[in-house]
Amino acid sequence: MIKFLQFFRINNAKKFQIISIKIKNLAEKITSILNVVEEQITLIQRKKSVISGWKFLK
């Protein structure tokens, strides 16, 4: 019974470690996606300001 509990603990620790790594990888992917979205928003804002600048010049 004790050996089974030790195996159970080790097995759970390994699963927890795998889940932790997967969560870390997902967090990195989400961060990179958000960085791209932020860059796109910045580009759109720049285009808007350039376009509105043209409207005022005319």
Side-chain angles (χ1 to χ4, degrees), residues 48-58:
K48 277 184 158 182
S49 65
V50 167
I51 290 170
S52 64
W54 288 342
K55 287 180 185 173
F56 287 120
L57 287 175
K58 293 179 181 179

Side-chain angles (χ1 to χ4, degrees), residues 26-55:
L26 279 175
E28 288 173 358
K29 287 179 184 177
I30 291 170
T31 302
S32 64
I33 289 170
L34 289 176
N35 287 339
V36 170
V37 169
E38 187 178 12
E39 288 173 14
Q40 293 300 316
I41 290 171
T42 303
L43 288 174
I44 290 169
Q45 288 173 338
R46 285 184 191 159
K47 286 180 184 177
K48 277 184 158 182
S49 65
V50 167
I51 290 170
S52 64
W54 288 342
K55 287 180 185 173

